[in-house]
Amino acid sequence: SPDNVNVIHLKRMVYPKPETLKPPRTNVLSVSPWLAPIVWEGNFNIDILNELFRQENVRIGLTVFAIKKYIRFLKTFIETAEKFFMVGYPVNYYIFTDLVSNVTNFNMTVGPRKQLIFLEVPSYKRWQDVTMRRMQMIRDFTKQRFASEVDYLVCVDVDMRFQDHVGVEILSDVFGTLHPAFFVKGRDKFTFERRPESQAYIPEDEGDFYYAGGYFGGKVEEVYKLTNHCHHAMLTDKANNIEAIWHDESYLNNYFLYYKKPTKILSPEYLWNERDGTAFYLRKRRLISLHKNADEVRN
Ligand code: 2GW
Ligand code: MN
């Protein structure tokens, strides 16, 4: 069972009765039209969820890419994950990097049943390829090793800092995250790929949510399907000399709309911009996307 989680069994677990006519959250959408829960603080009881996932002995893989200059984000990312991410559960941190020798000198230590695993991958010249090829690399390692080592994968950007609880409440067959810049906006403002020639195309009158490219996951088998699909869509576009406007994020949005709707959706609590302060409906800001000097890290 998880080490640092209070183990309380479902039998004699005493908690407030769910009230059918008194939803805990009234100012946010808590369920999608296809009945996927949208995860907000207040809507879940972590003790119940911990007991359910503990019974399954879940093992979690957290994938992150630290290629070229982005290696600088790794230390804070891992340090804060140790404090807030899946506390008490076995976690493999899968760090894809082009500089394995550099990072092993970092001398980061992680807690019991946590493992740092460095995976050496090529570094692409164009930054668009660095971000898009993550789909291919996650897919390849899914078959090779993730399937035998973990049950769920959580795939995120590295330019982030955890600052509050992220636990098993996020786990589901396949999950996506509401992009912090778009969840209050209309479809016409979504930056989906709008050229019909692209595999990522979504017309103006379609779309559920605008999902963030930097935070998705699910059961290993589902992450395989997702990354394999997005990688193939990207290759088809490449053969036709077109590249989706927001790269992997555009292909991911197309996949979630047309091929597999997420079975759980993470609210912006799970992905918030450092520069955006806070908002009245946010009870927690769990993972913060760091402000960076784009020109400096990109060149
Ligand atoms: C990316 C863009 C420009 C220059 C460099 C890089 C880069 C990214 C890199 O040199 N090395 C590297 O490891 N990366 C990885 O790709 C790293 O894990 C990073 O967090 C991730 C996405 O790049 P990032 O964080 O600069 O892009 P954002 O924050 O604008 O991300 C959104 O848009 C992307 C598509 O353009 C992706 O969909 C991403 O998932 C989104 O969050
Ligand atoms: Mn990012």
Side-chain angles (χ1 to χ4, degrees):
S1 66
D3 298 335
N4 306 320
V5 172
N6 291 328
V7 177
I8 309 166
H9 293 280
L10 287 178
K11 195 170 182 181
R12 294 302 303 147
M13 188 191 289
V14 176
Y15 52 83
K17 179 176 94 76
E19 293 292 341
T20 314
L21 300 182
K22 282 197 196 106
R25 296 299 305 258
T26 51
N27 59 356
V28 294
L29 183 69
S30 293
V31 65
S32 76
W34 55 95
L35 299 178
I38 304 174
V39 188
W40 295 92
E41 181 69 13
N43 275 345
F44 60 90
N45 179 325
I46 193 62
D47 296 329
I48 302 175
L49 287 161
N50 274 331
E51 179 58 9
L52 297 175
F53 283 91
R54 194 187 63 78
Q55 286 171 354
E56 285 182 42
N57 289 315
V58 290
R59 300 161 301 169
I60 300 125
L62 181 61
T63 73
V64 82
F65 288 73
I67 293 174
K68 293 189 258 190
K69 287 190 182 175
Y70 277 58
I71 214 117
R72 69 177 61 173
F73 294 110
L74 194 58
K75 195 163 193 288
T76 300
F77 179 86
I78 298 293
E79 278 174 3
T80 58
E82 281 286 285
K83 291 198 184 108
F84 298 110
F85 182 77
M86 302 290 170
V87 172
Y89 288 88
V91 173
N92 284 359
Y93 299 105
Y94 295 114
I95 299 154
F96 294 76
T97 182
D98 55 334
L99 301 164
V100 167
S101 50
N102 283 25
V103 279
T104 37
N105 295 334
F106 266 26
N107 231 349
M108 290 179 287
T109 54
V110 290
R113 299 202 300 164
K114 312 274 176 178
Q115 261 192 87
L116 288 171
I117 297 164
F118 294 96
L119 305 170
E120 190 155 14
V121 290
S123 133
Y124 286 87
K125 243 202 221 123
R126 291 176 64 242
W127 68 261
Q128 294 89 341
D129 289 320
V130 173
T131 132
M132 277 193 305
R133 291 282 175 168
R134 291 183 293 171
M135 292 294 187
Q136 177 182 22
M137 297 189 241
I138 293 170
R139 180 201 66 181
D140 291 347
F141 280 93
T142 301
K143 276 268 153 90
Q144 285 177 31
R145 63 183 291 176
F146 300 160
S148 63
E149 295 181 352
V150 293
D151 305 297
Y152 290 91
L153 285 169
V154 178
C155 309
V156 295
D157 274 13
V158 74
D159 54 341
M160 313 263 212
R161 171 183 82 231
F162 289 89
Q163 56 170 42
D164 211 328
H165 169 96
V166 175
V168 292
E169 75 280 1
I170 72 172
L171 301 180
S172 189
D173 281 6
V174 56
F175 66 84
T177 305
L178 302 182
H179 192 298
F182 297 97
F183 65 98
V184 288
K185 296 198 171 139
R187 275 180 181 152
D188 58 318
K189 300 288 188 309
F190 289 177
T191 54
F192 292 146
E193 174 54 58
R194 300 301 191 187
R195 292 167 295 177
E197 300 75 31
S198 170
Q199 297 297 306
Y201 174 59
I202 299 175
E204 299 270 349
D205 57 354
E206 292 184 60
D208 301 309
F209 301 104
Y210 189 86
Y211 301 98
Y215 202 150
F216 62 87
K219 292 222 170 106
V220 174
E221 183 60 28
E222 285 297 331
V223 171
Y224 176 81
K225 289 185 208 159
L226 180 159
T227 52
N228 188 43
H229 179 96
C230 291
H231 179 57
H232 279 296
M234 190 262 282
L235 286 186
T236 303
D237 272 4
K238 199 177 171 62
N240 295 323
N241 256 313
I242 189 166
E243 184 171 88
I245 178 166
W246 286 107
H247 322 108
D248 43 300
E249 187 166 83
S250 306
Y251 298 106
L252 179 73
N253 271 281
N254 186 282
Y255 181 77
F256 280 156
L257 180 61
Y258 295 136
Y259 294 89
K260 176 83 194 187
K261 299 229 194 255
T263 54
K264 223 176 231 186
I265 297 164
L266 308 188
S267 75
E269 293 170 359
Y270 290 86
L271 186 54
W272 193 252
N273 290 323
E274 188 172 41
R275 284 208 293 186
D276 288 350
T278 188
F280 68 92
Y281 43 77
L282 280 183
R283 295 190 185 168
K284 292 199 163 176
R285 284 170 293 165
R286 306 167 190 275
L287 183 60
I288 297 288
S289 168
L290 301 174
H291 177 60
K292 57 185 186 287
N293 181 337
D295 291 337
E296 204 277 321
V297 283
R298 289 180 183 194
N299 297 309

